Each structure stands twice: as C-alpha cells, then as structure tokens.
Amino acid sequence: MAHHRATHAEISLKAFKQNLQNLKIILGSSTGIMAVIKADAYGHGALPCASAAVESGIDYLGAGVIEEGIELRKNGIENPILILGSIFPDEVADLVKHNLSTILCTPHLAEVLSREAKKQGKVINVHIKVDTGMNRLGVLPENLLSLTSKICNLPNLKIEALSTHFSSADDEDLSITNNQIELFRKALSQLKKKGIVLPLTHQANTSALFRFPESHSKMVRPGLILYGALPSPILNPVVQNICQKNNLKNFEGVMQWKSKIILLKSVKKGQGLSYSRKYLTEKDSIIATLPIGYADGLPRRLSNKMEVLVKGKRAPQVGTICMDMTLIDVTDIPDVQMGDEVVVFGKQGNEIISVEGLAHKASTIPYEILCNVGKRVPRIYLS
C-alpha cells in the first residue's frame, strides 16, 4: 500500500543553509546566531532544520517549549538549546536531565532549578530576560539587579546571558524599538556597575537584525528569515539593499506547498460552487478540484481571495474552501490535465506566489501561514 499524498510541502535544506550563510556574511564573525526552530521550525520540521543549522555552524538553537528541546536531544542534537518560552517548576527535572537552558525571570523558578541541578550534579545555564516593553515574559528593569544577585548566590546555576524581546521591530514607528534598545543598554550598565559581566547578550529578532544593527549584541535570534520570508513589507527594500551591498543572492523561500488536480469538470454559467454557493460561475467554466483544504492548514478565510499556479499561470480559487478539498478555475489555462501540479505558494515557471502575499490576502502574518501547514501534509526534504 502506498503512503503518500498529492498535497505535500517541499523543503529545500539547501535554501535554508544559504539563508544562514547570508546572515553570517551580513553579521560578520563577531555576532553569533541562535537559529530559532520553535513550532516545528515554523512548520518546516524541527529536526531536519536543526541538523542543517548545526551543519552550518550556528552557535545556539532556540526552541519554544521544553518538549521541542527534548525531541532534539533524543535525536542526537548536542548543541546548546534555549527554551525561549521558559518552563514551569514541574519541568525542571527534564530540563536538567537533557542539558537544556531556559529563559528565567522569577526567583522561584531559579530556586527550584538550582535544587534540581544540584540533585543531578549539573550546572545549568540560564538566560535572564528583561522586560523592556513587550510586557510578556521577563523581569522588570527595576527588579533585574535583585533577581540577578539572587541567582549568582544559588548553586549549580550559571547566568549565561541577558536577553530581551522587541514588540515592534517591524513597525513604521522606530521610537518604540529604539527605546527598548536603550532600556536594555541601561540594564546591562546596571549589572556592570555591580561587577556582573555576562558572556552573552541577545535582543534582535529577524526585523531588528536588519533594521536596528545597534541591537545585534553578541548574538541574534533570526527566525522567519531563515525560512526565506519576511515579517513585514517594510523590510523588503531594507533586505534587498543589504543583500546588494554584500553581493548576496536574495533570501530564498525554504518551503513550497503543492498539490495536484484530482478532477476536472465542465460547469455551466451561473452555477454555484462549493458550500453555501458563495461563488457563481460567470461563464461556462472548467473547474478543477484539489485535495487540499482547511484541515491541511489552508485558511478558509482565503475562499475566493487567492490564486494558485497551474502550468506556470495563475488560476483563481473559487467557492468556499472545504475541509479536504478546494476548487480552482482553470478555464483560461490551456491543456490542463488531471494530475497536473498545483502550487499554493512557491515557484512554478516564471511565476511566484509568496507566503507573504498569501498571508496578506488572509489578513494574517507569514508565521501563521507556515506554522499552520498541517501534520497530515507530508514534508519532502530536498538537500
């Protein structure tokens, strides 16, 4: 029995590595890279992408939750891994057992982690996060010195880094991020005055990496750009200019989402398509059925708003997107056959549908489109 689907995602590890190489050239040798592979590497597959990142010589891996870090350890990844979302006290035993690091911002977690590290005879690296305006995780600046001093006096813990997270690095208003950078600088200065000098600092996400070079610190945390996408159109000219300045190829999309035509049907003018008949054919049409739907991660809110590629040409999606199927109009594309390849996002011929463009039509962000490509969609890795 064959186990495969016409609907699948092709992952180019070559493109992933090239994107990382671009970043290395842009950043220079003095700035380390933490490759963010949380959320199953934004839907691309955590283990293959983590392995590719390690082969490319990154300094750190960033996971979202402890289960992601443990999965990497169990599959032979020995490089430093930071749990970016922090952990609960009942997870410290697993954290210590698997030699993971965590974001730390409360004295209680520090105490529990210290006791467990001592029990297991290990020293655990922690990264203190200072809240400079995200108001999510992190210790407030006025409480930073107290927390840091406490951790310094706890056995079996080592403060490896001070970090923060930007809330608005891809917004038009630069003042918010500039203020966060200044607050972070003051926090570091505060620690230095007390004789606390940390091996690492990290602030910059993908957007800040390009727009705020003063935020590079000793390490950056690229996420979306590793997968060849950008968080906001604001970054397009900035990234293009940086690539041209460094004689680099543009960052390349790592995932292409594809399907195939499972049925072709001639439909008369004025006929309703799919649930609730929200689309009526404007002329005699040829409608193709694709075995892809919202259960695969194709947003239902894209119904009648998106296009796909067939034979290198754009074809509109028509009718309500279903759980397992969707319809496209191929009336104006010659010689379409059942079994023809269809590209949801990616390249076909001279045409490209970007994940950013698809996200814009869905009134969302590229992160959500990529992360939502479902588990039942096979990933095919191209090396």
Side-chain angles (χ1 to χ4, degrees):
M1 179 179 177
H3 293 277
H4 61 270
R5 284 193 68 198
T7 298
H8 64 278
E10 292 180 358
I11 313 295
S12 172
L13 296 177
K14 180 181 178 181
F16 180 86
K17 288 182 177 181
Q18 184 58 55
N19 292 340
L20 258 174
Q21 184 61 28
N22 277 6
L23 290 178
K24 284 188 167 188
I25 293 171
I26 291 167
L27 293 166
S29 58
S30 61
T31 303
I33 294 176
M34 178 187 294
V36 178
I37 45 79
K38 64 179 180 177
D40 199 31
Y42 296 23
H44 293 70
L47 184 58
C49 290
S51 299
V54 169
E55 291 169 10
S56 299
I58 52 86
D59 303 275
Y60 234 105
L61 292 167
V65 295
I66 190 170
E67 289 84 0
E68 293 174 341
I70 292 172
E71 178 189 10
L72 295 177
R73 286 285 187 253
K74 287 183 174 179
N75 283 279
I77 301 294
E78 298 179 353
N79 292 62
I81 299 172
L82 177 66
I83 308 304
L84 293 161
S86 193
I87 61 169
F88 287 94
D90 62 359
E91 295 175 319
V92 296
D94 283 332
L95 184 96
V96 175
K97 176 182 177 182
H98 294 284
N99 299 310
L100 302 168
S101 303
T102 186
I103 287 292
L104 189 61
C105 45
T106 68
H108 176 63
L109 181 59
E111 291 169 352
V112 176
L113 187 54
S114 173
R115 287 195 297 269
E116 184 61 36
K118 185 177 181 180
K119 178 181 175 181
Q120 294 192 33
K122 295 182 178 180
V123 175
I124 296 299
N125 291 323
V126 296
H127 293 217
I128 297 178
K129 174 169 277 190
V130 58
D131 184 358
T132 58
M134 184 72 172
N135 289 310
R136 196 174 61 176
L137 280 182
V139 58
L140 293 173
E142 57 265 32
N143 298 326
L144 173 63
L145 189 58
S146 172
L147 175 63
T148 305
S149 299
K150 181 175 183 63
I151 296 171
C152 287
N153 291 318
L154 288 172
N156 298 77
L157 293 187
K158 176 186 175 183
I159 304 175
E160 186 178 30
L162 185 73
S163 72
T164 195
H165 190 67
F166 297 135
S167 66
S168 310
D170 52 3
D171 289 356
E172 289 187 10
D173 185 353
L174 304 180
S175 65
I176 298 170
T177 303
N178 283 326
N179 184 59
Q180 286 193 262
I181 292 171
E182 178 61 18
L183 287 173
F184 189 75
R185 186 196 65 77
K186 289 180 178 179
L188 278 173
S189 178
Q190 182 184 24
L191 294 180
K192 189 175 181 180
K193 286 179 181 178
K194 293 297 180 178
I196 302 172
V197 179
L198 304 179
L200 285 174
T201 52
H202 51 95
Q203 314 173 65
N205 53 11
T206 290
S207 296
L209 188 158
F210 293 109
R211 300 183 77 207
F212 300 89
E214 64 273 27
S215 73
H216 286 179
S217 294
K218 295 182 180 180
M219 188 163 65
V220 295
R221 303 188 307 266
L224 192 61
I225 192 60
L226 296 179
Y227 310 101
L230 291 171
S232 165
I234 290 175
L235 274 86
N236 288 334
V238 178
V239 174
Q240 288 176 10
N241 182 56
I242 290 173
C243 286
Q244 289 174 2
K245 183 179 177 181
N246 290 276
N247 295 315
L248 299 173
K249 292 182 179 179
N250 287 332
F251 289 84
E252 184 179 345
V254 174
M255 181 190 292
Q256 295 195 98
W257 198 7
K258 299 181 177 182
S259 189
K260 291 182 179 180
I261 293 172
I262 198 170
L263 185 67
L264 286 168
K265 184 177 292 185
S266 296
V267 179
K268 295 291 185 181
K269 178 182 177 180
Q271 293 298 302
L273 302 180
S274 192
Y275 290 116
S276 300
R277 297 168 56 88
K278 292 184 178 180
Y279 182 91
L280 300 177
T281 51
E282 297 176 354
K283 59 183 179 181
D284 290 353
S285 304
I286 301 174
I287 304 300
T289 302
L290 311 179
I292 180 173
Y294 61 77
D296 299 301
L298 186 64
R300 191 172 182 268
R301 59 185 175 275
L302 279 172
S303 298
N304 301 305
K305 296 179 181 178
M306 63 176 285
E307 296 173 311
V308 298
L309 299 179
V310 182
K311 291 189 172 294
K313 299 182 182 298
R314 291 176 177 262
Q317 185 279 324
V318 288
T320 301
I321 293 172
C322 309
M323 181 181 289
D324 305 305
M325 286 175 279
T326 193
L327 303 176
I328 61 173
D329 187 337
V330 294
T331 308
D332 298 327
I333 302 176
D335 302 321
V336 175
Q337 303 292 325
M338 286 191 292
D340 280 350
E341 178 187 82
V342 176
V343 173
V344 179
F345 60 75
K347 184 176 182 180
Q348 191 183 66
N350 295 321
E351 285 280 357
I352 296 176
I353 292 180
S354 68
V355 67
E356 294 96 329
L358 203 63
H360 177 72
K361 291 181 178 181
S363 299
T364 186
I365 53 178
Y367 300 88
E368 185 176 11
I369 296 293
L370 291 170
C371 289
N372 282 357
V373 176
K375 290 291 186 183
R376 76 175 189 176
V377 177
R379 270 61 168 176
I380 298 172
Y381 292 92
L382 311 175
S383 59

